[in-house]
Amino acid sequence: YYRRFSHIVDYSPANFLFIASLGLLGMVLSIRRWKGLSLLYIFIISYSISIIIFFVISRYRLPMTPILSIFAASALYWFWMKISEKRYLPLLPSIALLALFTVLVGKDIPWLTDLNRHEVLYREGFDFETKGDYDRAETKYMEAARVSPQSYAAHFGLGEVYTIKKRPHAAVNEYRLAVQAMPMSALAHFKLGMAYIDTGSSDEAIREFQASIELVSGQPQSYYGLGAAFEKKGMPDEAVRYWEEYLRRDSEGEWSSLVRSRIEAIRGKAAKQ
């Protein structure tokens, strides 16, 4: 990922693959002196275990590199001494072991690589969306969705972008995929309901708002959505009922002024009739 922004990464010989492979070999070659090097061994082993248990993230391995560099230097010195002494036979198993460590350290795990790519692409898309660059946000979210088709975050982000771009049918499709990826997300059900309202699908919108309320009963926004859906459906009494519930739960919310004006308009129209 960082190669896209810094070419130094391409040309640095002291990369983690080089240091870690030689460092692991140095740990094996220095095992007879383990008592004098016990603190170094304890640090590498205990720190590795802590990462494996909790956070297997590449940047967290960096604190090991100073200690691994010591062992790597020891391995290089060992190679130099054997070559200087013209003792080539011990080099063969060490080279084989170094090759094994190189393969193990440098081996990519495909699903984990895709997960990391997805995370980077999604975060780039979110950054562009925050800055108002919706075209580039859409591109990044789409790339993230291609890498990880079941990604809740990527499909939800696309739904947000399409809503802003006034493309409600595309937003419905993406929010629906987000709901499929995370059925217990009350927010995704709410957003899908709002997108359905924009497409004129009131019954589907009501279903999604009700699903949202079943998941999180206390959130006011779903009651606002139900009111809007019933108004679209031509059921003003039901709309007023849910909007009043919205105001009871959030009297100063972002839609409160709009809701009050709509309630007054409905009641005024009913009084005239």
Side-chain angles (χ1 to χ4, degrees), residues 210-238:
Q210 289 173 338
S212 179
I213 289 173
E214 288 176 5
L215 291 168
V216 183
S217 60
Q219 62 176 358
Q221 59 189 16
S222 294
Y223 292 96
Y224 165 79
L226 279 169
F230 278 111
E231 186 186 35
K232 286 273 187 181
K233 196 176 180 181
M235 299 174 66
D237 292 338
E238 286 294 302

Short mmCIF file of all heavy atoms in Angstrom, two decimals, residues 210-238:
data_model
loop_
_atom_site.label_atom_id
_atom_site.label_comp_id
_atom_site.label_asym_id
_atom_site.label_seq_id
_atom_site.Cartn_x
_atom_site.Cartn_y
_atom_site.Cartn_z
N GLN A 210 -39.84 -1.03 10.19
CA GLN A 210 -40.30 -1.90 11.27
C GLN A 210 -39.20 -2.88 11.69
O GLN A 210 -39.04 -3.17 12.88
CB GLN A 210 -41.55 -2.65 10.83
CG GLN A 210 -42.78 -1.74 10.72
CD GLN A 210 -43.98 -2.44 10.12
OE1 GLN A 210 -43.85 -3.44 9.41
NE2 GLN A 210 -45.17 -1.90 10.39
N ALA A 211 -38.44 -3.37 10.73
CA ALA A 211 -37.32 -4.25 11.05
C ALA A 211 -36.27 -3.50 11.87
O ALA A 211 -35.69 -4.04 12.81
CB ALA A 211 -36.69 -4.79 9.77
N SER A 212 -36.05 -2.23 11.52
CA SER A 212 -35.10 -1.41 12.26
C SER A 212 -35.55 -1.22 13.71
O SER A 212 -34.75 -1.31 14.65
CB SER A 212 -34.94 -0.05 11.57
OG SER A 212 -34.04 0.78 12.28
N ILE A 213 -36.86 -0.97 13.90
CA ILE A 213 -37.39 -0.77 15.25
C ILE A 213 -37.31 -2.06 16.06
O ILE A 213 -37.02 -2.05 17.26
CB ILE A 213 -38.84 -0.26 15.17
CG1 ILE A 213 -38.83 1.18 14.66
CG2 ILE A 213 -39.53 -0.33 16.53
CD1 ILE A 213 -40.22 1.73 14.38
N GLU A 214 -37.54 -3.21 15.41
CA GLU A 214 -37.44 -4.48 16.11
C GLU A 214 -36.02 -4.72 16.62
O GLU A 214 -35.81 -5.34 17.67
CB GLU A 214 -37.85 -5.62 15.18
CG GLU A 214 -39.34 -5.67 14.92
CD GLU A 214 -39.70 -6.76 13.92
OE1 GLU A 214 -38.79 -7.52 13.52
OE2 GLU A 214 -40.88 -6.85 13.53
N LEU A 215 -35.04 -4.23 15.89
CA LEU A 215 -33.64 -4.41 16.29
C LEU A 215 -33.24 -3.42 17.38
O LEU A 215 -32.57 -3.77 18.35
CB LEU A 215 -32.72 -4.26 15.08
CG LEU A 215 -32.81 -5.39 14.05
CD1 LEU A 215 -32.08 -5.00 12.77
CD2 LEU A 215 -32.21 -6.68 14.62
N VAL A 216 -33.63 -2.16 17.21
CA VAL A 216 -33.33 -1.11 18.19
C VAL A 216 -34.60 -0.29 18.37
O VAL A 216 -34.86 0.65 17.61
CB VAL A 216 -32.15 -0.21 17.74
CG1 VAL A 216 -31.83 0.81 18.83
CG2 VAL A 216 -30.91 -1.03 17.42
N SER A 217 -35.38 -0.61 19.38
CA SER A 217 -36.71 -0.02 19.51
C SER A 217 -36.68 1.45 19.90
O SER A 217 -37.63 2.19 19.65
CB SER A 217 -37.53 -0.79 20.56
OG SER A 217 -36.87 -0.77 21.82
N GLY A 218 -35.60 1.91 20.51
CA GLY A 218 -35.59 3.27 21.04
C GLY A 218 -35.15 4.35 20.08
O GLY A 218 -35.22 5.53 20.40
N GLN A 219 -34.69 3.97 18.88
CA GLN A 219 -34.15 5.01 18.00
C GLN A 219 -35.28 5.77 17.31
O GLN A 219 -36.19 5.16 16.73
CB GLN A 219 -33.19 4.40 16.98
CG GLN A 219 -33.79 3.39 16.04
CD GLN A 219 -32.78 2.92 15.01
OE1 GLN A 219 -31.65 3.37 14.99
NE2 GLN A 219 -33.19 2.02 14.13
N PRO A 220 -35.26 7.09 17.37
CA PRO A 220 -36.37 7.89 16.83
C PRO A 220 -36.42 7.94 15.32
O PRO A 220 -37.49 8.12 14.75
CB PRO A 220 -36.09 9.28 17.42
CG PRO A 220 -34.62 9.31 17.68
CD PRO A 220 -34.25 7.91 18.05
N GLN A 221 -35.28 7.79 14.65
CA GLN A 221 -35.25 8.01 13.21
C GLN A 221 -36.17 7.04 12.46
O GLN A 221 -36.77 7.40 11.44
CB GLN A 221 -33.83 7.89 12.68
CG GLN A 221 -33.17 6.54 12.93
CD GLN A 221 -31.69 6.55 12.57
OE1 GLN A 221 -31.09 7.60 12.41
NE2 GLN A 221 -31.11 5.37 12.47
N SER A 222 -36.33 5.82 12.97
CA SER A 222 -37.19 4.86 12.28
C SER A 222 -38.66 5.27 12.37
O SER A 222 -39.44 5.00 11.46
CB SER A 222 -36.99 3.47 12.86
OG SER A 222 -35.68 3.00 12.58
N TYR A 223 -39.03 5.92 13.46
CA TYR A 223 -40.41 6.41 13.59
C TYR A 223 -40.65 7.56 12.61
O TYR A 223 -41.75 7.69 12.05
CB TYR A 223 -40.68 6.85 15.03
CG TYR A 223 -40.70 5.69 15.99
CD1 TYR A 223 -39.57 5.36 16.72
CD2 TYR A 223 -41.84 4.92 16.15
CE1 TYR A 223 -39.57 4.28 17.59
CE2 TYR A 223 -41.87 3.84 17.02
CZ TYR A 223 -40.72 3.52 17.74
OH TYR A 223 -40.74 2.45 18.60
N TYR A 224 -39.63 8.38 12.41
CA TYR A 224 -39.75 9.42 11.38
C TYR A 224 -39.95 8.77 10.02
O TYR A 224 -40.82 9.18 9.23
CB TYR A 224 -38.50 10.29 11.35
CG TYR A 224 -38.42 11.13 10.10
CD1 TYR A 224 -39.16 12.29 9.96
CD2 TYR A 224 -37.62 10.72 9.02
CE1 TYR A 224 -39.13 13.04 8.80
CE2 TYR A 224 -37.58 11.46 7.84
CZ TYR A 224 -38.33 12.62 7.74
OH TYR A 224 -38.29 13.35 6.59
N GLY A 225 -39.15 7.75 9.73
CA GLY A 225 -39.27 7.08 8.45
C GLY A 225 -40.63 6.46 8.24
O GLY A 225 -41.21 6.54 7.14
N LEU A 226 -41.18 5.84 9.30
CA LEU A 226 -42.52 5.25 9.19
C LEU A 226 -43.56 6.32 8.88
O LEU A 226 -44.46 6.12 8.05
CB LEU A 226 -42.87 4.51 10.47
CG LEU A 226 -42.29 3.10 10.62
CD1 LEU A 226 -42.49 2.59 12.04
CD2 LEU A 226 -42.92 2.15 9.60
N GLY A 227 -43.43 7.47 9.54
CA GLY A 227 -44.36 8.55 9.26
C GLY A 227 -44.28 9.00 7.82
O GLY A 227 -45.30 9.19 7.15
N ALA A 228 -43.06 9.14 7.31
CA ALA A 228 -42.88 9.57 5.92
C ALA A 228 -43.43 8.53 4.96
O ALA A 228 -44.05 8.87 3.93
CB ALA A 228 -41.40 9.81 5.65
N ALA A 229 -43.23 7.24 5.28
CA ALA A 229 -43.71 6.18 4.39
C ALA A 229 -45.23 6.13 4.35
O ALA A 229 -45.84 5.98 3.28
CB ALA A 229 -43.15 4.84 4.85
N PHE A 230 -45.87 6.26 5.52
CA PHE A 230 -47.33 6.24 5.54
C PHE A 230 -47.93 7.47 4.86
O PHE A 230 -48.99 7.39 4.24
CB PHE A 230 -47.83 6.11 6.98
CG PHE A 230 -47.83 4.69 7.48
CD1 PHE A 230 -46.94 4.29 8.47
CD2 PHE A 230 -48.69 3.76 6.95
CE1 PHE A 230 -46.94 2.98 8.93
CE2 PHE A 230 -48.69 2.44 7.40
CZ PHE A 230 -47.81 2.05 8.40
N GLU A 231 -47.26 8.61 4.96
CA GLU A 231 -47.74 9.79 4.24
C GLU A 231 -47.67 9.56 2.74
O GLU A 231 -48.61 9.88 2.00
CB GLU A 231 -46.94 11.02 4.62
CG GLU A 231 -47.50 12.29 4.00
CD GLU A 231 -46.63 13.51 4.23
OE1 GLU A 231 -45.40 13.35 4.25
OE2 GLU A 231 -47.18 14.61 4.39
N LYS A 232 -46.55 8.96 2.28
CA LYS A 232 -46.42 8.65 0.86
C LYS A 232 -47.50 7.68 0.40
O LYS A 232 -47.98 7.73 -0.74
CB LYS A 232 -45.04 8.05 0.59
CG LYS A 232 -43.89 9.02 0.63
CD LYS A 232 -43.68 9.67 -0.73
CE LYS A 232 -42.42 10.51 -0.74
NZ LYS A 232 -42.21 11.16 -2.05
N LYS A 233 -47.87 6.79 1.32
CA LYS A 233 -48.86 5.77 0.99
C LYS A 233 -50.29 6.31 1.03
O LYS A 233 -51.25 5.61 0.65
CB LYS A 233 -48.72 4.59 1.96
CG LYS A 233 -49.41 3.33 1.51
CD LYS A 233 -49.14 2.18 2.47
CE LYS A 233 -49.86 0.93 1.99
NZ LYS A 233 -49.66 -0.22 2.90
N GLY A 234 -50.46 7.56 1.48
CA GLY A 234 -51.78 8.15 1.56
C GLY A 234 -52.52 7.77 2.82
O GLY A 234 -53.76 7.69 2.81
N MET A 235 -51.80 7.55 3.91
CA MET A 235 -52.41 7.20 5.20
C MET A 235 -51.96 8.24 6.23
O MET A 235 -51.09 7.98 7.07
CB MET A 235 -52.00 5.79 5.62
CG MET A 235 -52.44 4.72 4.62
SD MET A 235 -51.81 3.06 5.03
CE MET A 235 -52.68 2.73 6.57
N PRO A 236 -52.54 9.45 6.19
CA PRO A 236 -52.05 10.56 7.02
C PRO A 236 -52.21 10.32 8.53
O PRO A 236 -51.37 10.78 9.30
CB PRO A 236 -52.89 11.75 6.56
CG PRO A 236 -54.11 11.15 5.93
CD PRO A 236 -53.65 9.88 5.32
N ASP A 237 -53.28 9.62 8.93
CA ASP A 237 -53.47 9.38 10.36
C ASP A 237 -52.33 8.53 10.93
O ASP A 237 -51.82 8.80 12.02
CB ASP A 237 -54.81 8.69 10.62
CG ASP A 237 -55.98 9.61 10.31
OD1 ASP A 237 -55.77 10.85 10.32
OD2 ASP A 237 -57.09 9.11 10.05
N GLU A 238 -51.95 7.51 10.18
CA GLU A 238 -50.82 6.67 10.60
C GLU A 238 -49.53 7.47 10.60
O GLU A 238 -48.68 7.32 11.49
CB GLU A 238 -50.68 5.46 9.68
CG GLU A 238 -51.73 4.39 9.88
CD GLU A 238 -51.60 3.73 11.24
OE1 GLU A 238 -50.52 3.18 11.53
OE2 GLU A 238 -52.56 3.79 12.03
#
